[in-house]
Amino acid sequence: MTTTVPAQRTIMKRFPAGHPRGSRPADEYAASQRIQGTDAQVVMDLDTDEFLVVANTTITH
Protein backbone atom coordinates (compact mmCIF):
# COMPACT_ATOMS: atom_id res chain seq x y z
CA MET A 1 0.00 0.00 0.00
CA THR A 2 1.31 3.43 -0.94
CA THR A 3 0.56 6.47 1.17
CA THR A 4 1.31 10.04 0.29
CA VAL A 5 2.29 12.60 2.91
CA PRO A 6 1.08 16.17 2.34
CA ALA A 7 3.48 18.31 0.33
CA GLN A 8 6.32 19.95 2.19
CA ARG A 9 8.22 22.97 1.00
CA THR A 10 11.94 23.04 0.37
CA ILE A 11 13.63 26.45 0.37
CA MET A 12 15.73 26.64 -2.76
CA LYS A 13 17.06 30.18 -2.43
CA ARG A 14 16.56 33.36 -0.35
CA PHE A 15 16.48 36.95 -1.59
CA PRO A 16 16.44 40.08 0.61
CA ALA A 17 13.16 41.98 0.43
CA GLY A 18 15.08 45.27 0.48
CA HIS A 19 16.61 44.57 -2.94
CA PRO A 20 16.29 47.60 -5.28
CA ARG A 21 14.38 45.43 -7.76
CA GLY A 22 12.02 44.06 -5.12
CA SER A 23 10.92 40.48 -5.71
CA ARG A 24 12.07 40.42 -9.32
CA PRO A 25 15.32 38.46 -8.72
CA ALA A 26 13.33 35.82 -6.83
CA ASP A 27 10.68 35.73 -9.56
CA GLU A 28 13.33 35.31 -12.25
CA TYR A 29 15.04 32.51 -10.34
CA ALA A 30 11.72 30.72 -9.77
CA ALA A 31 10.89 31.05 -13.49
CA SER A 32 14.24 29.51 -14.44
CA GLN A 33 13.57 26.60 -12.08
CA ARG A 34 10.10 26.06 -13.58
CA ILE A 35 11.66 25.89 -17.05
CA GLN A 36 13.87 23.08 -15.71
CA GLY A 37 10.80 21.22 -14.42
CA THR A 38 10.79 22.19 -10.74
CA ASP A 39 7.51 23.52 -9.33
CA ALA A 40 9.09 26.64 -7.79
CA GLN A 41 7.12 29.50 -6.26
CA VAL A 42 8.02 32.76 -4.54
CA VAL A 43 6.74 33.40 -1.03
CA MET A 44 7.42 36.23 1.41
CA ASP A 45 8.82 35.40 4.85
CA LEU A 46 7.71 38.33 6.99
CA ASP A 47 9.78 37.23 9.99
CA THR A 48 13.09 37.40 8.10
CA ASP A 49 12.02 40.04 5.54
CA GLU A 50 13.08 37.81 2.65
CA PHE A 51 11.56 36.43 -0.52
CA LEU A 52 11.94 32.67 -0.58
CA VAL A 53 11.91 30.50 -3.67
CA VAL A 54 10.31 27.25 -2.54
CA ALA A 55 9.56 23.95 -4.20
CA ASN A 56 6.82 21.58 -3.14
CA THR A 57 8.07 18.09 -2.39
CA THR A 58 5.78 15.12 -1.91
CA ILE A 59 7.00 12.13 0.04
CA THR A 60 5.58 8.74 -0.96
CA HIS A 61 5.87 5.75 1.36
Side-chain angles (χ1 to χ4, degrees):
M1 180 176 181
T2 302
T3 58
T4 302
V5 177
Q8 297 178 359
R9 290 182 173 175
T10 301
I11 299 172
M12 301 177 70
K13 197 162 183 179
R14 299 171 181 265
F15 295 86
H19 191 281
R21 294 176 58 212
S23 67
R24 185 160 218 127
D27 292 327
E28 290 171 348
Y29 181 78
S32 71
Q33 293 303 304
R34 286 191 296 272
I35 289 170
Q36 295 178 26
T38 302
D39 181 23
Q41 301 171 6
V42 177
V43 296
M44 177 69 184
D45 183 348
L46 296 175
D47 292 335
T48 62
D49 198 32
E50 294 177 313
F51 292 108
L52 308 177
V53 177
V54 298
N56 291 329
T57 54
T58 303
I59 301 170
T60 303
H61 296 287

